[in-house]
Amino acid sequence: MRCRIGVIAGDGIGPEIVREAVKVLDQVAVKYGHEFDYTELLLGGASIDVHGVPLTEETIQAAKACDAVLMGSIGGDAKTSPWYQLEPSRRPEAGLLGIRKALNLFANLRPAYLYEELRGACPLREDISAAGFDMLIMRELTGGLYFGARKTEVVDGVRTAVDTLSYNEQEIRRIAKRAFEIAMKRRRKVCSVDKANVLDSSRLWRKVVEEVAADYPQVELSHMYVDNCAMQLVMNPAQFDVILTENMFGDILSDEASMVTGSIGMLSSASLNDTRFGLYEPSHGSAPDIAGQDRANPIATILSAAMMLRYTFDLDKEADAVEAAVRQVLKEGFRTGDIRSEGCTCVGTAEMGSLIADRI
Ligand code: IPM
Ligand code: MG
């Protein structure tokens, strides 16, 4: 198969983790007889440095011409980086939000899985971590507070800021459908998370999710308020299969879910639209404090590449091989610094990538 893959190395640790994911993909290409063509794309701080803006039309068009995009991470240290002297709409994060919107990537899948080998890193009580967990957060990514009208003004001498949280039924329906379809391939449970005791947008969310659920009688649907969900994630994470939620709640809950795995350096993500196109990136940030030191964990990016093989290219066997290689390397006791434990062999970013590629 011939695949056109856009590559956004990005900022901070982005370039070094993406390099390892490409190393693994190249091994997949050799082993399974595929051809991966890579196109380098600029986004975030790397784009500001060259073009003065975090996202250009050129990047959008080049991304659209690819089948999928693999991304490292964008952004820098807000205290020291000159990027953060710019107005908010010109900072690295604006580039990320812009590309999500421009490519209509409304469905953000963030799996949070407790690896047997990394159970020791789980910050939860042992009786809770012993049950394990394997959930997928399905976050709406192009609506809600992130994209509603906002303004800051002085009203009667008082500084006032407004953000708008709005959803229409179409936006809710398409993400809900995605959640149910994915649940059908998993444990057939969807927990829809909202704040329907307070917000109109959540009350509509709940109604539309129930309408969609009628088409998926095999899937068990439950509803949960977001504050309760934040609590349940640390009390009993094993109860969750697919968590379906709006943009802002999903941003917050997905960080919480990743932290309870104890290893944010392991978590992949996919942002999809209604075609086969996807933007694949690790769930973690750009970690500028350790950039360029061969200390970053490339596994989240490598697992994001596996999601790309699975969701965009339908290459399930190849995706399985990448995931199995990651598990094998962990089983053999290799760890990057962020997930190190006693008796394990600590390796750098590049060596971790090579160890995984060797096991494909
Ligand atoms: C994420 C990030 C982004 C978001 C930031 C960098 C704008 O936190 O992908 O979760 O809030 O969506
Ligand atoms: Mg976030």
Side-chain angles (χ1 to χ4, degrees):
M1 185 178 208
R2 180 140 191 228
C3 308
R4 289 163 307 172
I5 301 171
V7 176
I8 299 173
D11 310 320
I13 58 173
E16 48 195 304
I17 52 182
V18 162
R19 199 176 302 133
E20 299 318 306
V22 167
K23 195 188 271 177
V24 172
L25 283 173
D26 284 342
Q27 185 58 28
V28 169
V30 170
K31 181 82 189 277
Y32 294 90
H34 301 301
E35 200 177 314
F36 297 149
D37 296 334
Y38 305 104
T39 309
E40 305 240 350
L41 308 173
L42 286 178
L43 183 75
S47 173
I48 296 174
D49 289 345
V50 176
H51 300 294
V53 288
L55 173 63
T56 58
E57 192 53 34
E58 189 187 328
T59 288
I60 294 172
Q61 292 312 327
K64 280 186 178 165
C66 295
D67 303 309
V69 171
L70 179 68
M71 190 180 114
S73 49
I74 59 118
D77 184 336
K79 283 208 188 85
T80 58
S81 164
W83 300 329
Y84 295 89
Q85 305 296 317
L86 300 166
E87 59 159 302
S89 67
R90 296 175 84 92
R91 291 178 193 164
E93 286 74 8
L96 181 57
L97 298 186
I99 202 167
R100 286 175 181 167
K101 195 69 174 179
L103 301 176
N104 194 27
L105 304 172
F106 63 85
N108 183 217
L109 284 61
R110 297 189 168 183
Y113 175 77
L114 187 62
Y115 279 83
E116 182 69 48
E117 293 79 11
L118 302 181
R119 201 156 277 187
C122 175
L124 301 178
R125 238 176 31 221
E126 231 174 271
D127 58 313
I128 301 175
S129 66
F133 58 84
D134 176 3
M135 69 183 98
L136 182 116
I137 299 191
M138 174 67 84
R139 168 189 175 194
E140 201 291 325
L141 202 60
T142 52
L145 274 172
Y146 276 64
F147 294 96
R150 68 177 103 256
K151 63 178 174 197
T152 304
E153 59 187 351
V154 178
V155 180
D156 299 332
V158 180
R159 285 177 300 163
T160 306
V162 182
D163 295 284
T164 319
L165 169 46
S166 142
Y167 271 105
N168 67 42
E169 58 180 317
Q170 286 151 351
E171 291 171 310
I172 302 168
R173 189 166 294 118
R174 66 182 180 177
I175 185 79
K177 273 191 177 157
R178 274 297 170 85
F180 282 94
E181 267 152 30
I182 293 233
M184 288 292 288
K185 295 189 187 159
R186 295 176 47 101
R187 302 195 308 280
R188 300 190 173 185
K189 276 167 54 173
V190 170
C191 178
S192 174
V193 172
D194 61 37
K195 190 71 185 169
N197 49 348
V198 178
L199 303 175
D200 261 26
S201 57
S202 282
R203 285 188 270 270
L204 179 63
W205 181 277
R206 206 174 261 227
K207 268 200 201 104
V208 175
V209 169
E210 270 169 7
E211 288 163 17
V212 172
D215 294 334
Y216 299 88
Q218 307 93 323
V219 178
E220 177 195 323
L221 170 67
S222 60
H223 300 280
M224 194 178 275
Y225 295 140
V226 62
D227 47 350
N228 184 25
C229 182
M231 205 164 68
Q232 296 295 330
L233 276 172
V234 292
M235 251 171 52
N236 178 15
Q239 71 185 286
F240 296 111
D241 180 18
V242 175
I243 292 180
L244 164 64
T245 192
E246 65 92 47
N247 204 345
M248 181 76 166
F249 297 160
D251 179 45
I252 298 167
L253 294 176
S254 63
D255 265 27
E256 187 188 1
S258 65
M259 203 54 239
V260 298
T261 69
S263 50
I264 190 166
M266 300 288 299
L267 299 174
S268 54
S269 86
S271 303
L272 310 174
N273 59 24
D274 47 21
T275 70
R276 300 217 63 97
F277 181 91
L279 174 84
Y280 299 85
E281 55 169 316
S283 281
H284 59 71
S286 59
D289 53 321
I290 59 162
Q293 298 171 28
D294 195 43
R295 287 168 61 195
N297 184 350
I299 294 181
T301 317
I302 291 168
L303 291 172
S304 301
M307 285 184 96
M308 175 176 79
L309 295 173
R310 197 181 297 287
Y311 289 106
T312 291
F313 299 117
D314 257 330
L315 298 174
D316 283 339
K317 191 164 38 106
E318 289 80 346
D320 289 344
V322 173
E323 288 165 3
V326 168
R327 266 193 305 273
Q328 181 61 30
V329 163
L330 293 176
K331 209 169 278 161
E332 289 173 37
F334 296 104
R335 303 280 190 273
T336 43
D338 57 314
I339 51 172
R340 65 138 48 95
S341 57
E342 241 182 73
C344 289
T345 312
C346 206
V347 298
T349 311
E351 193 179 351
M352 182 55 95
S354 300
L355 286 164
I356 295 167
D358 287 348
R359 282 154 186 77
I360 297 287

